[in-house]
Amino acid sequence: MSVQKIAGRYAKSLIDLSIEQNKLDRILEDVKVLREVTDNRDFKLMLRSPVLKADKKRQVVNHLFQNQFDPLTLAFLDIMFRKGREAHLVEIASEFVAQYKRIKRISSVRLVSAAPLSKDTVDQIHKILEDSSVVEDTVDLQVAVNDKLIGGFTIELDDKLYDDSVAFKLAELKKEFKGNLYISLINDSRNL
């Protein structure tokens, strides 16, 4: 079974249990913490290590989170270790967040600009997005800066990318110029 299917099934199980116990938002907080921790290279390697026994991994995780996580989250993690699925916790946590956002009708939008944007500009873009029909009820807007864009911005929504950066426009111009130059050279060679 693919990792994506495994992640989807376990995330759905945790979502369903969370809803049943009226703890969806609480469990989301635990999963976000878990996702942050799994960004740590050493922690991720520990989870995926074939040498380290599942019981030892479970002890480490319990020691880290027993006073912080909800009992439902801890029970879920225990099942992951007993089933040998701890190597997939990164993907399961990401899938949980994705399913949560679908349930709550939240669209994740990533705005990348060439220079830092003012709070007013970010608020205006957020408002425009919320008023549009391309997003769900709520917009989770993440803002970043990438000076390689030279100027302008990009907006990523789901699998769509709107690129209004100077770097993109220069690349398009370069392609067009090369194409026109190539056609011109072919026409010139025919005239010889």
Side-chain angles (χ1 to χ4, degrees):
M1 188 181 310
S2 75
V3 173
Q4 193 59 32
K5 280 187 176 182
I6 291 169
R9 287 182 180 178
Y10 280 101
K12 179 154 179 29
S13 295
L14 185 56
I15 288 264
D16 291 345
L17 283 170
S18 302
I19 291 170
E20 184 180 299
Q21 295 184 17
N22 201 24
K23 294 181 174 183
L24 185 58
D25 291 324
R26 172 65 180 106
I27 302 305
L28 174 68
E29 295 308 313
D30 292 349
V31 169
K32 283 181 176 179
V33 169
L34 182 64
R35 213 165 77 167
E36 286 177 28
V37 171
T38 57
D39 283 343
N40 178 289
R41 183 178 181 275
D42 293 332
F43 189 82
K44 191 183 298 185
L45 288 173
M46 184 266 310
L47 287 175
R48 294 186 173 165
S49 172
V51 177
L52 200 58
K53 300 269 188 230
D55 285 343
K56 289 290 180 190
K57 295 177 193 178
R58 184 173 52 208
Q59 286 175 0
V60 169
V61 170
N62 280 339
H63 179 73
L64 289 173
F65 302 118
Q66 68 186 356
N67 295 326
Q68 185 178 358
F69 282 0
D70 187 88
L72 176 60
T73 307
L74 293 172
F76 178 79
L77 290 172
D78 188 57
I79 291 170
M80 294 296 95
F81 287 105
R82 284 191 285 129
K83 297 274 188 181
R85 300 295 193 195
E86 68 275 3
H88 304 300
L89 281 174
V90 175
E91 293 84 6
I92 293 168
S94 293
E95 183 60 27
F96 180 94
V97 173
Q99 289 183 24
Y100 174 89
K101 287 182 177 183
R102 279 193 296 276
I103 289 168
K104 296 289 189 168
R105 300 188 45 80
I106 300 170
S107 291
S108 292
V109 179
R110 181 170 165 79
L111 170 65
V112 181
S113 60
L117 300 173
S118 70
K119 183 179 177 349
D120 287 342
T121 302
V122 171
D123 289 344
Q124 284 177 333
I125 293 169
H126 192 267
K127 176 87 171 102
I128 290 168
L129 286 168
E130 280 187 334
D131 291 344
S132 76
S133 62
V134 297
V135 295
E136 297 286 349
D137 297 342
T138 307
V139 175
D140 176 22
L141 182 62
Q142 294 151 17
V143 181
V145 175
N146 180 353
D147 60 356
K148 291 180 181 167
L149 295 178
I150 303 171
F153 62 91
T154 64
I155 294 179
E156 296 173 50
L157 170 65
D158 299 326
D159 59 348
K160 298 172 197 78
L161 174 68
Y162 175 78
D163 195 334
D164 195 34
S165 67
V166 172
F168 176 75
K169 289 177 182 176
L170 286 173
E172 290 295 304
L173 215 75
K174 184 177 177 181
K175 277 196 268 184
E176 186 180 327
F177 178 73
K178 280 184 178 180
N180 289 340
L181 181 62
Y182 179 72
I183 290 169
S184 177
L185 289 173
I186 289 174
N187 288 336
D188 287 346
S189 68
R190 289 183 183 159
N191 294 332
L192 293 175

